[in-house]
Amino acid sequence: MRVFFIGFGQAGGKIVDMFVEQDKRMQTQSFRGIAVNTARTDLMGLKNIELKDRLLIGQTVVKGHGVGTDNVTGARVTADEIDAIINAVDSRGTHDIDAFVIVAGLGGGTGSGGSPVLARHLKRIYREPVYAIGILPAPEEGRLYSYNAARSLSTLVNEADNTFIFDNSAWKNEGESVKDAYNRLNDEIVRRFGVLFRAGEVGRAGVGEMVVDSSEVINTLRGGGISTVGYAISEKISPRTKQNQGLLSGLVRKKEKTEEVLTGEDKSAKIIALVRRAMLGRLTLPCDYSTAERGLVLLAGPPDEMDRKGVEKSKSWVEENIAGVEVRGGDYPVQSDYVAAVVVLATIGNAPRITELLEIAKSTKEDVLKSKEKRSNMFDDGIEPLFE
């Protein structure tokens, strides 16, 4: 799957920078990306996105200093300079792209305000689906950030074809520094979506037996709304000892075949357990998984470990546990010492964290209106001003 990433704002830019770095390291050329920001310093801090692919917008309004957590200004600046952003996307080439993915932190100003505007224009111009990865701020980060996130998300779900949510509050660890925490969270995002968006590509390990290509991913996400992703990784697979070639090589191969028959059920059980762990463990957005309309199961790892019965049974298990009946799945062979399972739960019907976020936003809006009334009444006591 070939994906065009657009990192919007500080958080989005850093994450897309990590996607580009991962793509360079794996030499797959599946991902390309640009970073868009109103703050010059945020763009200068990126390491892997080329300078020509870093776009500074809103210079006439904020002079390269960011919008100061004001997502209304972020939306207005993006709308004013949308032509420049679309030109930057076109200049990188879009003829072979399967999907656009906008990555943004929803609690700030630039990404929070600009990503829904960009999603609307990309959908109007291109035929490819436009997805978003939105990062929710933790409640402890402040009510302003929650309010921004609620406004941005309620707009974004109507503009993007599907919105993946990553909830910071579900992933925080005690005692971490701010830098370490954000680096770890960004790494979790890149690891999960890196496996998902590479589905179907032909690597050095060959083609999967049950291929999950880009159309499978697109059809899973076609219902819109919000989606969540589960991920689990196996223990390290012990490498088989290389057998010496000789008179006993035939007997060794026969013994290996017998062992494979005996361990076949064990391999399928391991895959089913891995998929269960991915779905029942920490999702990017904790939710009631039984309300998901569609699902996708993807297993990545060494071809010898991809047990067909295990993949099929794990798909059936996911189908039994979600609201819908559409569950796609397959394998993606890679040269690795581990097996990874990715489970996408698309179009979620019930997520307590989203409900909580919207409640915080409503109470924040009411408090803001009350504080405005108090401020306006403070000096309304009949004293004449010096001048009008």
Side-chain angles (χ1 to χ4, degrees):
M1 189 170 184
R2 297 189 179 276
V3 177
F4 196 120
F5 286 101
I6 298 134
F8 225 123
Q10 184 181 24
K14 283 183 177 178
I15 292 166
V16 171
D17 198 54
M18 291 174 72
F19 274 119
V20 171
E21 189 270 333
Q22 186 192 66
D23 200 54
K24 285 178 181 175
R25 190 175 68 245
M26 297 180 75
Q27 298 179 340
T28 52
Q29 296 182 332
S30 297
F31 302 157
R32 66 191 66 163
I34 64 170
V36 183
N37 211 320
T38 55
R40 186 179 284 105
T41 50
D42 292 343
L43 290 174
M44 295 304 291
L46 303 177
K47 298 173 184 175
N48 301 289
I49 297 174
E50 294 180 31
L51 278 170
K52 65 181 177 64
D53 294 327
R54 305 178 198 179
L55 188 62
L56 182 67
I57 61 171
Q59 291 187 71
T60 56
V61 180
V62 295
K63 299 178 175 61
H65 300 305
V67 295
T69 328
D70 180 359
N71 57 4
V72 175
T73 303
R76 190 174 68 247
V77 165
T78 305
D80 290 344
E81 303 206 23
I82 194 68
D83 291 339
I85 300 171
I86 297 297
N87 286 340
V89 171
D90 277 336
S91 68
R92 290 292 281 114
T94 58
H95 64 282
D96 57 346
I97 290 297
D98 293 313
F100 293 95
V101 176
I102 302 167
V103 188
L106 300 184
T110 305
S112 172
S115 49
V117 177
L118 179 59
R120 172 177 289 188
H121 284 83
L122 287 175
K123 279 180 71 176
R124 182 173 58 83
I125 295 167
Y126 300 101
R127 294 179 62 189
E128 290 76 20
V130 178
Y131 304 127
I133 299 175
I135 297 96
L136 290 186
E140 305 84 68
E141 292 180 45
R143 292 172 71 185
L144 171 62
Y145 294 90
S146 294
Y147 182 57
N148 281 353
R151 292 185 76 186
S152 178
L153 181 57
S154 59
T155 314
L156 189 58
V157 291
N158 294 321
E159 301 298 341
D161 288 300
N162 206 302
T163 305
F164 294 100
I165 300 296
F166 188 92
D167 179 18
N168 278 352
S169 63
W171 289 84
K172 63 179 186 291
N173 288 343
E174 296 297 328
E176 267 186 321
S177 70
V178 174
K179 183 180 178 183
D180 289 346
Y182 282 125
N183 285 342
R184 180 178 59 81
L185 294 176
N186 292 349
D187 187 58
E188 294 284 359
I189 293 169
V190 173
R191 188 182 303 149
R192 281 158 177 69
F193 290 100
V195 174
L196 173 63
F197 291 137
R198 281 198 175 83
E201 73 180 31
V202 180
R204 281 170 286 187
V207 182
E209 294 300 317
M210 301 169 69
V211 179
V212 176
D213 55 22
S214 58
S215 61
E216 302 269 358
V217 177
I218 290 166
N219 284 334
T220 301
L221 300 173
R222 75 174 187 273
I226 59 172
S227 299
T228 185
V229 178
Y231 176 86
I233 192 165
S234 69
E235 294 176 355
K236 191 170 183 178
I237 300 162
S238 55
R240 288 189 177 184
T241 53
K242 291 182 179 178
Q243 304 290 346
N244 294 323
Q245 295 296 318
L247 292 171
L248 296 174
S249 60
L251 289 171
V252 168
R253 281 197 296 272
K254 191 174 181 182
K255 185 184 175 187
E256 281 184 355
K257 275 194 170 183
T258 309
E259 284 178 354
E260 279 179 15
V261 170
L262 292 171
T263 59
E265 197 66 35
D266 184 45
K267 280 184 183 177
S268 65
K270 281 180 180 176
I271 284 177
I272 296 164
L274 197 63
V275 170
R276 281 175 60 93
R277 191 148 55 87
M279 185 162 141
L280 303 178
R282 274 208 289 194
L283 299 168
T284 57
L285 173 69
C287 65
D288 180 0
Y289 57 80
S290 66
T291 63
E293 289 185 14
R294 276 173 294 279
L296 176 73
V297 177
L298 177 63
L299 287 140
D304 291 343
E305 299 296 320
M306 297 291 108
D307 183 80
R308 186 184 183 91
K309 187 193 282 187
V311 175
E312 289 175 346
K313 281 190 173 181
S314 60
K315 279 167 58 181
S316 298
W317 180 82
V318 172
E319 188 181 315
E320 288 166 10
N321 284 277
I322 67 170
V325 293
E326 287 184 50
V327 178
R328 296 169 175 83
D331 61 319
Y332 164 39
V334 291
Q335 292 177 339
S336 173
D337 294 330
Y338 302 90
V339 176
V342 174
V343 177
V344 178
L345 299 173
T347 317
I348 297 296
N350 178 26
R353 178 70 180 91
I354 301 297
T355 307
E356 179 197 16
L357 183 77
L358 296 173
E359 288 298 324
I360 292 171
K362 284 176 187 174
S363 66
T364 303
K365 185 179 179 181
E366 288 169 5
D367 291 347
V368 167
L369 292 171
K370 285 176 185 175
S371 67
K372 279 183 179 178
E373 286 175 11
K374 284 180 183 176
R375 190 170 68 245
S376 62
N377 293 335
M378 191 181 294
F379 292 100
D380 290 352
D381 53 2
I383 303 297
E384 293 181 10
L386 290 171
F387 47 82
E388 294 294 340

